[in-house]
Amino acid sequence: MATLIAPITFSPGADAEALHKAFKGWGTDEKTVIAILGHRNVYQRQQIRKLYEEMYQEDLIKRLESELTGDFERSVYRWMLEPADRDAVLANVAIKDGSKGYHVIVEIACVLSSEELLAARRAYHHRYKRSLEEDVATNTSGDLRQLLVGLVTSYRYGGDEINARLAKTESDILHSSIKEKKGNHEEAIRILTTRSKTQLLATFNRYRDDHGASITKKLLDDASDDFRKALHTAIRCINDHKKYYEKVLRNAIKRVGTDEDALTRVVVSRAEKDLRNIAEIYYKRNSVHLEDAVAKEISGDYKKFILTLLGKDV
Amino acid sequence: MATLIAPITFSPGADAEALHKAFKGWGTDEKTVIAILGHRNVYQRQQIRKLYEEMYQEDLIKRLESELTGDFERSVYRWMLEPADRDAVLANVAIKDGSKGYHVIVEIACVLSSEELLAARRAYHHRYKRSLEEDVATNTSGDLRQLLVGLVTSYRYGGDEINARLAKTESDILHSSIKEKKGNHEEAIRILTTRSKTQLLATFNRYRDDHGASITKKLLDDASDDFRKALHTAIRCINDHKKYYEKVLRNAIKRVGTDEDALTRVVVSRAEKDLRNIAEIYYKRNSVHLEDAVAKEISGDYKKFILTLLGKDV
């Protein structure tokens, strides 16, 4: 379930006009920007952007960038992009971040559906005149490259069929690959980058049955290098991406100084999808409401905007 | 240019009726089947199939399979499938063929456009309830797996930009990778599986400039194992797929006994695209018209059908 609260009917023309007025003169009326854009779904935002361009011959996103600043600007910018385009931007930034960004690449590749991932790859072409896998491959090597390129190029079968025998064989392969500290992870990479998510869940369950602990636990015990960390993220995202996102949010909030980038990324990406479920998991795990935890850590228009996307009236 | 001769206007209803009549009674009127289906383009064939199903409550392709036999049946069957579905079938057969089928997998991955390859992957899901890369990966290992999986999962950028400096660097990488008989081909695989075709052409040209011979020539001198053979096919398909297909046809025809599978594959896949150009290259290279060479090697309804697709009235 989403946290975004958007009206069923709205007037893109009136919105465009109100935004244009909010930009006018000295200073920007941020309150209006938040009140409008923080309550419009993806289709509504695209309509507003289109009409705004027709009415004022300028790109709304560019105008927002010049009007707003800091984390507020960045969150509104990401929010305004079409989801596939936003994923392309997030992936590109992550590639440039090197070691610090691998988990974002894995996240995009493993959380999105096959068709959504494809749309992100198409948007990447359009925006960067290169392919996503091209940039990932150029900036990595060895097992890490095989894993990341395999994940971003995957087009997994989306059906519900499970092969129980295969789950057994492949959970054994994953186990011996994880035990090995060095050497060849070719088979583990093959399994994680090509099998359907349903099949992988069966494999992970089988792993738990056979080894008395989840595969992620085993991996975490020794997630020392980038490859093992990426493997860990991939398995967590495939296994239960909501739980994964809860932890991303938890870490972002509890870090000294707050990780605004991570906070923005999760809120903006999931507000229209399943952020309500993620918030419920957060509450169960931390005995604090996500909105309250967030509210304590950030401030200003950025805070108002993020809380709006979290479904809290501000 | 295509070799297929299809009418601008046609009646799918009349075609369906004529085909139904051709199937009736003892024996089949193959002449009518060839006269109709050998002169209909992909959209027209789909319309006929749809209307046939509505009129007679049976699948035209299944009926054709039960009415026809041998190479004729196989060629009509492949011709009747939608292109993406046909590629999925060809890839699946090739995977089962093991070592003998690798070149077909490479062909599909490297000749198709990014969007066509995607459509084939989607059709593969639909037909086999698994992903194409999943089946390719399960049946291969090592460098060969990295290459084949990389090729079938690629979604290359389709633009015309060329980076000349990169072409130089990467032609050097390819050269040293090809010279090495053993060892790590990771970088060569990265280049061939992720760069845009335009960029790769620039890289191949640079290779020729620097080394006085084309990269395929160098590779062919020692295309001893499956990996090097697949590499060779990939480069040829990317470099000039029409020349590549000419050679496939040449080999299929000159082989004792004729390679009907290869002949059918190329004719059926290219008749609506660029088979006329391929036939011209064939004539230039062999001083014999492709139709005449084909006519000498095969016989019966299969011959009539293939020649019809080659644009020759029979």
Side-chain angles (χ1 to χ4, degrees), chain B residues 6-247:
Chain B
I8 294 168
T9 58
F10 85 115
S11 156
D15 282 352
E17 218 181 308
L19 287 168
H20 190 67
K21 226 177 111 190
F23 300 148
K24 271 207 166 155
W26 202 78
T28 310
D29 173 7
E30 285 90 0
K31 219 177 145 180
T32 300
V33 173
I34 296 171
I36 294 175
L37 298 179
H39 288 292
R40 297 292 180 272
N41 67 35
V42 60
Y43 308 104
Q44 296 171 335
R45 298 196 299 278
Q46 300 314 318
Q47 279 180 271
I48 295 170
R49 187 180 174 188
K50 194 163 162 260
L51 214 60
Y52 185 93
E53 174 124 35
E54 282 171 25
M55 289 164 70
Y56 306 109
Q57 286 78 50
E58 69 173 358
D59 180 19
L60 176 56
I61 293 187
K62 288 222 174 88
R63 183 64 191 254
L64 284 164
E65 280 188 283
S66 78
E67 294 286 334
L68 314 177
T69 56
D71 289 320
F72 180 45
E73 174 202 337
R74 202 133 63 186
S75 56
V76 171
Y77 173 75
R78 298 209 162 156
W79 177 243
M80 286 302 292
L81 296 177
E82 276 188 89
D85 196 24
R86 177 199 305 145
D87 290 326
V89 170
L90 287 171
N92 186 259
V93 171
I95 291 167
K96 289 188 196 146
D97 275 350
S99 186
K100 278 181 302 169
Y102 296 148
H103 68 284
V104 178
I105 300 170
V106 173
E107 209 178 281
I108 290 168
C110 295
V111 174
L112 298 186
S113 73
S114 296
E115 291 298 333
E116 287 170 339
L117 177 56
L118 226 52
R121 292 170 79 185
R122 202 172 277 126
Y124 200 99
H125 278 193
H126 193 70
R127 192 175 263 273
Y128 302 109
K129 312 291 172 205
R130 289 186 307 273
S131 70
L132 172 57
E133 59 265 35
E134 189 172 357
D135 283 354
V136 170
T138 311
N139 290 283
T140 49
S141 66
D143 283 342
L144 181 70
R145 174 193 283 171
Q146 300 304 348
L147 178 64
L148 293 183
V149 170
L151 292 174
V152 301
T153 58
S154 68
Y155 180 68
R156 298 178 198 274
Y157 174 61
D160 279 336
E161 293 85 350
I162 287 173
N163 180 333
R165 218 159 43 92
L166 201 66
K168 163 71 181 149
T169 331
E170 299 196 338
S171 94
D172 288 345
I173 294 175
L174 290 178
H175 185 66
S176 56
S177 180
I178 286 166
K179 273 203 310 189
E180 278 178 43
K181 294 272 156 74
K182 278 176 188 174
N184 197 333
H185 296 287
E186 202 188 325
E187 283 295 290
I189 294 171
R190 171 186 64 76
I191 294 165
L192 292 172
T193 59
T194 66
R195 293 301 183 198
S196 80
K197 289 183 184 174
T198 310
Q199 178 66 32
L200 284 174
L201 287 187
T203 303
F204 300 158
N205 284 331
R206 180 71 204 219
Y207 189 99
R208 204 188 328 241
D209 292 344
D210 289 354
H211 300 282
S214 76
I215 184 167
T216 49
K217 278 243 164 50
K218 288 266 179 197
L219 250 179
L220 196 60
D221 292 344
D222 188 48
S224 46
D225 57 22
D226 285 336
F227 172 69
R228 290 175 84 89
K229 276 184 204 154
L231 207 61
H232 186 244
T233 306
I235 295 173
R236 297 200 64 209
C237 286
I238 293 167
N239 196 46
D240 187 342
H241 74 268
K242 291 175 202 157
K243 266 176 73 180
Y244 166 80
Y245 278 130
E246 184 278 329
K247 191 161 180 191

Side-chain angles (χ1 to χ4, degrees), chain A residues 1 16 37 50 63 89 98 113 134 138 141 147 149 156 160 166 191 202 204 218-219 247 253 292 294 299 309 312:
Chain A
M1 269 182 67
L37 298 179
K50 193 164 162 262
R63 182 66 190 253
V89 170
S113 72
E134 189 172 357
T138 312
S141 66
L147 178 63
V149 171
R156 297 179 199 273
D160 279 335
L166 201 66
I191 294 165
F204 300 158
K218 288 266 179 197
L219 251 179
K247 191 161 182 194
I253 293 166
D292 298 336
V294 166
S299 60
L309 294 187
K312 201 172 161 94

